[in-house]
């Protein structure tokens, strides 16, 4: 059943130059509250370089919208004078919906304004026909919202692997699902009645790390996602690169040195063929470690002491390390974030990856900061990124 997004009012549209300036200023103010709150308005002015009057104006507007609130604790300045009443993010009112479509299942979730998962559910695929998958995802979201008493939805973020075009809200191509030119924004919006924002999951997780994780303040970030789909994203100066039609980060057929896995394209050693979780699970089944297609069972077997499972995970992490080394040579980012089950759950896998990268650059490589909620965070981060980039446009029409 369609829902109504939280009715947040908007200001009249100013001139373009003024609008851009206000949008940027509003963004840095709200992100300062997110990062430093509870924080005094005078501190925000110092951090952002904006005038105290401007900061006070933005904070008043955010309070009106319900995005921030005054903290109950007074904070006294170092000098004489009245104590400051700091402001903090109000994470008690609003949520964003999250939909992440993976190969075996869809993850639906609710996230608060700090990017924390409030509720989530996995919806197993009963077939991968797009309209059916998205309808079931919308039903799952509705159930979560019904159970979250008082939570008001601002919108829905959708993320998936493959070629996802942000501007049109379309999954252009996802070979493993058999999707092509799927109008996700249109279909999911019709089911939920909420604004829907769409992006690839590698880019979505860069934004999550930038807002809520360890990449805050980094001038350039590379993210490598190694699941069933393998892709990458690159951000500089707080902007994730999309490229024409959002094709940036398509690294499926990047050759991996020493790779032996045959690829559907006819070559051997392509990145996705080597690193896919499907490949890991096939090798684990061949070794008699697990059955099925759940890579966490390989992690569980390794944790129980199975030496073959440990070897398979270490080998995969080393291959990921070679891929990271290639991308580091090309892009030279300040920070590298990797989403891969081995390094998220085992220190020896992280060590193997860093060894492949090389000691001079190993310290720049870290696992994703949301190891237990990667897919839920990916979808929600798409909508939260929109909010934090343009918080004054927080309305049913804009987020």
């Amino acid at each position: 059943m369609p829902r109504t997004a939280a009715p947040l009012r908007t200001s009249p549209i100013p001139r373009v130059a003024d609008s851009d300036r206000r949008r940027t200023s509003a963004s840095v103010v709200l992100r300062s509250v997110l990062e430093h709150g509870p924080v005094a308005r005078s501190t925000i002015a110092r951090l952002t370089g904006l005038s105290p009057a401007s900061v006070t104006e933005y904070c008043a507007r955010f309070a009106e919208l319900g995005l921030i609130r005054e903290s109950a604790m007074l904070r006294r300045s170092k000098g004489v004078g009245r104590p400051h009443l700091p402001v903090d993010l109000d994470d008690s009112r609003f949520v964003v919906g999250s939909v992440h479509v993976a190969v075996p299942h869809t993850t639906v979730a609710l996230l608060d304004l700090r990017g924390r998962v409030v509720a989530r559910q996995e919806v197993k695929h009963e077939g991968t026909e797009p309209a059916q998958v998205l309808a079931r995802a919308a039903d799952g979201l509705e159930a979560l919202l019904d159970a979250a008493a008082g939570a008001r939805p601002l919108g829905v973020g959708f993320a998936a692997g493959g070629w996802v075009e942000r501007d049109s809200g379309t999954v252009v191509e996802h070979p493993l699902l058999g999707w092509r030119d799927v109008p996700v924004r249109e279909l999911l919006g019709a089911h939920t009645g909420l604004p829907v924002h769409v992006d690839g999951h590698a880019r979505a997780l860069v934004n999550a790390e930038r807002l809520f994780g360890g990449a805050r303040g980094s001038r350039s970030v590379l993210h490598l996602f190694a699941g069933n789909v393998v892709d990458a994203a690159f951000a500089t100066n707080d902007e994730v690169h999309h490229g024409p039609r959002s094709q940036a980060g398509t690294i499926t057929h990047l050759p991996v040195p020493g790779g032996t896995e045959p690829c559907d394209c006819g070559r051997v050693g392509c990145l996705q063929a080597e690193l896919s979780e499907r490949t890991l699970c096939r090798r684990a089944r061949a070794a008699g470690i697990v059955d099925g297609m759940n890579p966490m069972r390989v992690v569980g077997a390794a944790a129980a002491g199975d030496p073959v499972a440990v070897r398979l995970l270490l080998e995969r992490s080393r291959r990921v390390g070679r891929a990271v080394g290639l991308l580091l040579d090309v892009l030279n980012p300040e920070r590298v974030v990797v989403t891969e089950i081995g390094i998220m759950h085992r220190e020896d896998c992280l060590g193997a990856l860093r060894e492949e990268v090389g000691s001079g650059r190993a310290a720049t490589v870290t696992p994703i900061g949301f190891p237990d909620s990667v897919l839920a965070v990916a979808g929600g981060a798409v909508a939260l990124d929109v909010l934090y980039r343009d918080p004054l446009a927080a309305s049913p029409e804009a987020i």
Side-chain angles (χ1 to χ4, degrees):
M1 179 182 299
R3 289 180 174 265
T4 302
L8 303 183
R9 297 186 297 276
T10 60
S11 303
I13 298 175
R15 293 175 300 172
V16 172
D18 291 343
S19 176
D20 290 344
R21 184 164 53 249
R22 283 180 60 79
R23 181 168 58 248
T24 300
S25 298
S27 175
V28 297
V29 170
L30 187 61
R31 286 180 59 179
S32 293
V33 177
L34 168 67
E35 186 170 352
H36 300 285
V39 59
R41 295 169 181 83
S42 59
T43 302
I44 297 173
R46 177 174 55 81
L47 291 170
T48 63
L50 296 171
S51 70
S54 292
V55 171
T56 297
E57 177 188 348
Y58 286 120
C59 286
R61 185 68 175 126
F62 295 153
E64 179 186 349
L65 292 170
L67 299 175
I68 69 171
R69 59 187 170 190
E70 291 186 331
S71 173
M73 294 183 59
L74 290 173
R75 183 170 291 180
R76 187 170 297 279
S77 65
K78 293 181 180 179
V80 296
R82 297 172 58 188
H84 297 294
L85 189 62
V87 293
D88 202 1
L89 204 65
D90 189 345
D91 54 19
S92 65
R93 301 188 187 193
F94 302 118
V95 294
V96 296
S98 168
V99 175
H100 180 281
V101 177
V103 174
H105 61 262
T106 297
T107 301
V108 295
L110 303 178
L111 274 63
D112 68 14
L113 299 190
R114 297 185 189 276
R116 298 177 300 201
V117 177
V118 176
R120 65 179 155 184
Q121 176 188 0
E122 281 189 4
V123 181
K124 296 293 183 183
H125 291 165
E126 296 178 352
T128 57
E129 196 277 323
Q132 180 188 40
V133 170
L134 295 174
R136 296 187 72 218
D139 290 343
L141 276 181
E142 182 175 10
L144 294 181
L145 285 166
D146 287 343
R152 304 174 70 188
L154 290 175
V156 178
F158 171 95
W163 177 5
V164 181
E165 187 177 5
R166 176 187 59 173
D167 293 342
S168 67
T170 301
V171 173
V172 180
E173 187 176 27
H174 195 308
L176 296 181
L177 288 173
W179 286 19
R180 192 172 186 85
D181 296 323
V182 178
V184 171
R185 179 183 297 151
E186 176 184 334
L187 293 173
L188 202 52
H191 282 294
T192 63
L194 295 169
V196 176
H197 301 278
V198 176
D199 209 346
H201 58 198
R203 292 188 291 264
L205 288 167
V206 167
N207 285 326
E209 284 283 325
R210 177 182 59 81
L211 287 170
F212 313 113
R216 278 178 174 170
S218 298
R219 289 168 295 181
S220 58
V221 184
L222 165 68
H223 174 227
L224 177 65
F225 184 99
N228 283 313
V229 173
V230 177
D231 50 16
F234 184 60
T236 56
N237 297 323
D238 211 29
E239 289 286 343
V240 178
H241 181 60
H242 282 75
R245 297 202 66 195
S246 298
Q247 283 190 278
T250 303
I251 56 173
T252 302
H253 300 292
L254 186 72
V256 178
T260 60
E261 191 72 22
C263 180
D264 291 341
C265 73
R267 292 181 293 181
V268 172
C270 291
L271 190 64
Q272 184 162 290
E274 289 291 332
L275 301 186
S276 173
E277 288 175 351
R278 294 156 69 97
T279 300
L280 172 67
C281 290
R282 179 180 55 75
R283 290 172 175 170
R285 290 196 306 273
I289 300 169
V290 298
D291 54 11
M293 296 293 292
N294 186 348
M296 285 304 299
R297 293 185 178 179
V298 185
V299 175
D306 189 304
V308 179
V310 172
R311 176 177 59 78
L312 288 174
L313 290 173
L314 287 172
E315 287 176 352
R316 185 172 191 250
S317 295
R318 290 190 185 97
R319 291 187 184 94
V320 174
R322 291 174 203 146
V324 169
L326 288 172
L327 295 172
L328 272 167
D329 289 341
V330 175
L331 298 171
N332 192 30
E334 184 178 283
R335 175 183 286 270
V336 180
V337 177
V338 179
T339 301
E340 191 269 333
I341 57 166
I343 72 163
M344 289 192 296
H345 296 284
R346 296 183 62 90
E347 285 294 327
D348 56 352
C349 287
L350 178 58
L353 184 151
R354 286 175 167 168
E355 184 178 346
E356 289 291 333
V357 169
S359 59
R361 301 183 295 188
T364 67
V365 183
T366 59
I368 192 75
F370 319 98
D372 299 319
S373 54
V374 170
L375 304 185
V377 169
V382 179
L384 289 170
D385 176 62
V386 174
L387 169 67
Y388 281 100
R389 287 191 182 278
D390 195 3
L392 292 180
S395 70
E397 292 77 26
I399 182 169

